Amino acid sequence: MKMIVDAERSPWPRIGAVAGKFGWEAPATKSKIVTKSCSDDLAMRIASRLLFLLTEEIPGVSHIFVVENHHSDVLCDNGVIVQIAENIPIRDGWEVVDAQGMFVMPGGIDPHVHLDMPFMGTHSIDDFESGTRCAIAGGTTHVIDFMIPPRTGSLLETYRQWAEKSQGKAYCDYGFHACVTAWNDKVAKELAVLAREHGVTSCKHFLAYKGSLMLAAPEVIASFTLCKQLGILPMVHAEDGEMVAHQQRVIFESGIHGPEGHPLSRPPPMEALAVRMSTSFAELVNCPIYIVHNSCREAALEIRIAQERGVRVIGEVIVAHLMRDRSACSDPDWDLAAAHVLSPPLRAPEDMQALWAALQAGTLTVTGSDHCAFTRAQKRAGKEDFRLIPNGMLGIEERMLAIWERGVNSGRISREEFVNMTSTAAARVFNLYPRKGAVAVGSDADLVVWDPALERVISARTHQSRAEINPLEGTRCLGAPSVTIVGGRLAYHHLRGVLARPDWGRYVPRPAFGSAFSLVPRRDTVIQEERARMAALRA
Ligand SMILES: NC(=O)NCCC(=O)O
Ligand SMILES: [Zn+2]
Ligand SMILES: [Zn+2]
């Protein structure tokens, strides 16, 4: 079936990662000159190396080119974009989506979700089915979920479980991050198999959650070292677990037992310290690093400092920390307060401002949801003790709506930056680009037709999540997905609801050595040369 997204008469520019199109074409032409006498095989490799250089992510620099007033049709066939041109003649049997007055963008990529995740004695309530329904209703067409093994468990067994949980149950494409929750030879071997055979090329390390997921410093360094060899992007949940455990006791023993104790027990310095530690490990090993869910000014500052030292730090921010402050944890309604318990916790209003500023400045470049929803009953496990409230807040469906409303409509970020921070940046960082994150010929036909005039009010009455409470209840968003297209098929329509089936989503393996690794070999050489110089001085 062919689908055409028709923006022919649109007064709006077609925005999106048009850079993807130029990115392919420019280096390919150049590389042909460079490699005239080489075999085709070598020419291909050089072409892709040049592409790397041209599309490299540099914090603070936007790579999105906008073709202003460009009115184009986008023709999708067999799940991919096959033509972008003006006035493509429409043939019988083609399905036409009228995008007049709207923006055609690459579907959102949410690189941080927890679906059916075993955690704190229970499982998060949204699984691949309801979680990816949330995704497409919110304009997101790709999610990356964290496979969390038990401390003594096998990474490969966990992969098999995740494959079973997701296969035939996802409304949009998806991938997995590994998680290292213990360090030994078996874990190291399995990490290599995950990367080489299953395309799992990113891996999270927890500095928090003492007694369950937390790793010690030498384990983190050992894992980073292997990740570097394998081209796996190391990720970190940066909170100092020892300090958190201490402060939780202090707050609980002071008589504070409710959800308001949660933010009090994990203040910003604990996060900043862990960010400093993680970026220092990355500098030591000379590998890139991705810090998930940065929640406060101090964490963003630490990232900036490391970036200025030359460490390739990619900073993520999640919708909860951009939209809500810690006062929500003191709500007199216990259930509502508990729905806002996540880690790192909600912060002061000034921290929210600082996170927006860090996004504007390019210190933080990727947005996720950290979707990890629980029911009222699940959260009530911590009724007498905030330390037992399952940590997590929803956000897959709300992420793009909220960022458009508070970011674009408020004048904080441009529409092009919106596309970058909700889709293209994640595609680049997690080596999905330009298959994902781009409106370009050859890219997957995962698109969102965004209507800037469509109003949506976030509510638990209408959301796709199984959670009974939506912490963003009542938020009015001007600008919403009119249509979401998954693999060239109409997956969601704002009036008709979810139209996709739960077997449309496919697992997408990701190659190792994404663009974040581009500087690693050269820097290794520079480090070696510096060491040799120092040694020579002594000799
Ligand atoms: N963020 C959170 O509170 N729950 C999900 C697990 C994690 O990302 O730390
Ligand atoms: Zn985390
Ligand atoms: Zn998370």
Side-chain angles (χ1 to χ4, degrees):
M1 183 190 56
K2 284 197 185 350
M3 169 177 286
I4 193 162
V5 180
D6 180 2
E8 194 184 326
R9 294 170 306 278
S10 164
W12 303 96
R14 174 172 64 86
I15 66 171
V18 184
K21 196 161 176 260
F22 298 143
W24 276 118
E25 287 173 1
T29 315
K30 242 183 171 175
S31 71
K32 270 191 200 122
I33 297 164
V34 175
T35 60
K36 240 178 187 157
S37 60
C38 302
S39 70
D40 284 346
D41 202 4
L42 184 57
M44 283 303 296
R45 284 213 303 273
I46 288 175
S48 63
R49 279 229 317 262
L50 284 169
L51 176 71
F52 254 26
L53 290 177
L54 286 188
T55 61
E56 196 178 6
E57 188 73 40
I58 300 169
V61 178
S62 171
H63 294 273
I64 304 298
F65 296 96
V66 185
V67 183
E68 285 295 348
N69 300 315
H70 187 96
H71 300 178
S72 266
D73 299 336
V74 180
L75 180 63
C76 311
D77 188 19
N78 222 359
V80 295
I81 297 170
V82 293
Q83 193 182 359
I84 300 173
E86 288 180 36
N87 301 322
I88 299 174
I90 296 165
R91 306 231 183 99
D92 283 351
W94 288 12
E95 196 173 354
V96 178
V97 174
D98 187 357
Q100 187 172 353
M102 305 179 205
F103 299 109
V104 180
M105 306 173 180
I109 297 175
D110 189 337
H112 190 152
V113 305
H114 301 280
L115 304 177
D116 193 11
M117 174 204 187
F119 189 46
M120 296 184 74
T122 184
H123 282 243
S124 59
I125 189 66
D126 282 319
D127 57 13
F128 276 84
E129 192 163 346
S130 60
T132 54
R133 280 177 72 92
C134 295
I136 58 173
T140 289
T141 54
H142 193 89
V143 299
I144 313 183
D145 192 73
F146 291 89
M147 303 184 287
I148 309 218
R151 210 175 147 69
T152 52
S154 150
L155 268 62
L156 288 177
E157 178 48 34
T158 306
Y159 172 79
R160 278 187 281 277
Q161 286 170 10
W162 252 252
E164 200 179 309
K165 288 202 280 195
S166 55
Q167 216 154 25
K169 293 171 193 137
Y171 288 82
C172 65
D173 285 0
Y174 58 92
F176 301 143
H177 305 290
C179 293
V180 165
T181 53
W183 189 251
N184 53 49
D185 286 349
K186 184 169 175 227
V187 169
K189 282 197 188 96
E190 292 191 333
L191 207 50
V193 176
L194 282 180
R196 291 183 181 137
E197 294 177 21
H198 302 296
V200 178
T201 52
S202 43
C203 175
K204 187 170 175 184
H205 306 76
F206 293 90
L207 301 189
Y209 305 126
K210 184 177 178 194
S212 58
L213 306 174
M214 188 175 101
L215 285 179
E219 298 177 307
V220 178
I221 296 171
S223 180
F224 278 21
T225 306
L226 182 68
C227 284
K228 175 185 172 181
Q229 284 164 21
L230 295 170
I232 293 177
L233 180 64
M235 308 168 79
V236 171
H237 172 135
E239 284 183 296
D240 188 290
E242 291 290 352
M243 286 171 83
V244 169
H246 169 83
Q247 194 64 8
Q248 281 184 323
R249 239 184 348 264
V250 169
I251 296 293
F252 187 80
E253 283 168 9
S254 77
I256 299 175
H257 298 174
E260 70 280 13
H262 183 71
L264 292 172
S265 68
R266 314 170 87 101
M270 296 183 188
E271 186 178 343
L273 184 72
V275 173
R276 168 69 65 103
M277 209 149 67
S278 324
T279 56
S280 303
F281 294 159
E283 188 168 5
L284 196 72
V285 171
N286 182 27
C287 64
I289 182 171
Y290 182 101
I291 315 261
V292 299
H293 50 41
N294 293 282
S295 72
C296 57
R297 180 171 171 273
E298 289 86 341
L301 281 176
E302 285 297 341
I303 288 182
R304 189 83 217 172
I305 289 167
Q307 286 169 341
E308 284 175 8
R309 276 207 316 270
V311 187
R312 260 314 139 98
V313 190
I314 299 130
E316 176 197 86
V317 61
I318 61 167
V319 66
H321 295 128
L322 289 170
M323 294 294 288
R324 284 285 179 266
D325 70 59
R326 65 187 174 199
S327 63
C329 295
S330 302
D331 197 283
D333 175 347
W334 191 94
D335 292 315
L336 186 54
H340 290 87
V341 166
L342 79 159
S343 293
L346 298 180
R347 302 296 191 186
E350 307 84 76
D351 288 299
M352 283 168 60
Q353 296 306 327
L355 294 176
W356 280 108
L359 269 176
Q360 287 170 282
T363 308
L364 306 177
T365 45
V366 179
T367 64
S369 68
D370 197 5
H371 187 98
C372 189
F374 295 100
T375 61
R376 258 196 198 97
Q378 288 176 305
K379 288 271 184 183
R380 282 181 186 172
K383 195 81 174 91
E384 311 302 330
D385 183 346
F386 68 84
R387 294 171 296 185
L388 303 178
I389 301 172
N391 288 193
M393 210 171 121
L394 50 69
I396 299 185
E397 186 171 347
E398 296 75 14
R399 180 182 68 118
M400 293 178 77
L401 291 155
I403 293 174
W404 183 275
E405 173 61 24
R406 292 286 163 85
V408 177
N409 288 344
S410 72
R412 283 178 167 125
I413 56 168
S414 69
R415 297 182 302 236
E416 299 77 36
E417 286 164 340
F418 172 82
V419 173
N420 197 37
M421 65 183 64
T422 57
S423 178
T424 311
R428 283 206 177 95
V429 166
F430 293 106
N431 224 0
L432 290 162
Y433 185 86
R435 175 174 174 184
K436 307 280 187 190
V439 181
V441 171
S443 296
D444 282 357
D446 287 351
L447 299 167
V448 57
V449 180
W450 194 268
D451 185 349
L454 182 62
E455 184 176 290
R456 196 147 126 196
V457 179
I458 294 173
S459 173
R461 285 190 301 282
T462 49
H463 72 197
Q464 302 290 332
S465 169
R466 293 183 181 137
E468 307 101 327
I469 296 175
N470 192 314
L472 301 183
E473 183 76 32
T475 306
R476 179 189 158 281
C477 299
L478 183 61
S482 169
V483 159
T484 308
I485 293 166
V486 169
R489 293 185 281 188
L490 203 61
Y492 168 83
H493 185 281
H494 75 281
L495 294 176
R496 292 155 68 193
V498 171
L499 305 167
R501 286 203 317 263
D503 60 353
W504 283 16
R506 298 155 305 170
Y507 173 70
V508 181
R510 292 174 288 116
F513 294 103
S515 60
F517 282 84
S518 59
L519 269 183
V520 167
R522 184 70 209 135
R523 284 176 75 95
D524 267 346
T525 307
V526 170
I527 291 166
Q528 290 305 332
E529 286 170 355
E530 177 65 11
R531 281 183 196 160
R533 250 196 317 275
M534 299 293 283
L537 278 179
R538 177 141 184 82

